Amino acid sequence: MPLPVYDPATYPAQLAGKLAHFEQTFASLGVTNTVAHASTPLHYRLRAEFRIWHDGDRLDYAMFDPEAPKVPIALDTFPPAAESICTLMPRLRDRLAVSPTLRRSLFQADFLATLSGDMLVTLIYHRTLDEAWEAAAREMAAELGIMIIGRSRGQKRVLDRDWVLEEFELNGRQLRYKQVEGSFTQPNGGVNRQMLGWACQQAAGIGGNLVELYCGNGNFTIALAPLFDKVLATEVSKSSVHAAQFNLEANKVENVAIARMSSEEFSNALSGREEFTRLKDIDLAPFRHATLFVDPPRSGLDAVTLELARGFDRILYISCNQQTLLENVTALQDTHQIAASAVFDQFPYTHHLECGLLLTRR
């Protein structure tokens, strides 16, 4: 597939085509009146990664067309990237170009921005980074007003911190999120806010308790927690669990317990098949008749977690893969039906589409 063309004039038609494909795919399951949440047509990505191409004394950001993978496409800017990234790109490139210490063996630059103005740049090298590199990098970071991490094989040099702090308003609350470099975060900040708003809308008035699997850094957890009495969230990534715990404290959310375990482990614990010391201080009984929220990886829910899901009256399911979502929901058709559906266009100009379904017991 060649690199996409980023033309705002074509975006509405592209989104309409994605929505039509989604409704056609799920028509047999009763999906109708799906709500489509559009992205801004440009400057929507808060993450961007570029190869650094050396041509004599010149440095360029480069991407590669899959149809010609050895031919670099030099970039001065990148229309999908947040405006803050686009503004920084030429300034950073030009500053790197005049520093032999910073440019030598540099082969990649990764940008992580936030809606609220934080910026972290990771510079990746084919050499060991020494004190001279750190001194030069600190000087550049101060000049550009950014945070910098240096990486090489087996090495990570953090000059300030390896995370950004995202802040935005949602339903009258000011939410704060620690987002760690190298860990998963939602790439499209504007659409992420729409996803959180839709999830809160579906959960409003349900009450009771919430079980959340694959909670990550607490992106949905923080937004949904005030709508429930108690929340039990699980996540397997250690760095994401630490970020989620930071975010709970930063947002003064006190009704959430987080367990570091896989969805399959938690399924076995809740069903009583296994006991885990990680859950020894948590009473699982109140969560056996709760609402279930899942935002799994592209592989969807495994067989054990699907069986667990059958026991919940309501399931909120966010998916980045329509095929595994279709398979999972089809497997639940004997116990649950689709009560609401939405799509969220995290990646304009591509075939990718985030989907949301509310399932209720038949």
Side-chain angles (χ1 to χ4, degrees), residues 294 296 300-301 315-319 324-325 328-329 355-359:
V294 294
L301 303 180
I315 305 168
L316 262 172
Y317 195 141
I318 299 291
S319 173
T324 54
L325 176 63
N328 287 169
V329 176
C355 312
L357 295 178
L358 173 63
L359 308 177

Side-chain angles (χ1 to χ4, degrees), residues 38-50:
S39 173
T40 56
L42 296 175
H43 302 306
Y44 48 84
R45 283 192 63 94
L46 296 175
R47 299 199 313 257
E49 302 176 359
F50 305 101

Side-chain angles (χ1 to χ4, degrees), residues 223-259:
L224 290 169
L227 302 175
F228 294 91
D229 298 330
K230 296 180 181 179
V231 179
L232 177 53
T234 71
E235 169 59 47
V236 71
S237 164
K238 182 184 294 187
S239 63
S240 292
V241 168
H242 290 163
Q245 291 168 336
F246 176 100
N247 294 335
L248 291 174
E249 184 174 347
N251 290 277
K252 297 181 171 56
V253 174
E254 299 178 345
N255 65 331
V256 175
I258 295 181

Side-chain angles (χ1 to χ4, degrees), residues 258-277:
I258 295 181
R260 183 173 172 246
M261 58 197 321
S262 69
S263 62
E264 185 173 359
E265 288 174 327
F266 178 75
S267 299
N268 288 331
L270 197 64
S271 65
R273 290 190 293 269
E274 289 188 64
E275 293 185 359
F276 296 88
T277 56

Side-chain angles (χ1 to χ4, degrees), residues 199-208 226-228 291 314:
C200 289
Q201 183 182 35
Q202 303 312 309
I206 293 177
L227 302 175
F228 294 91
T291 296
R314 295 179 183 84

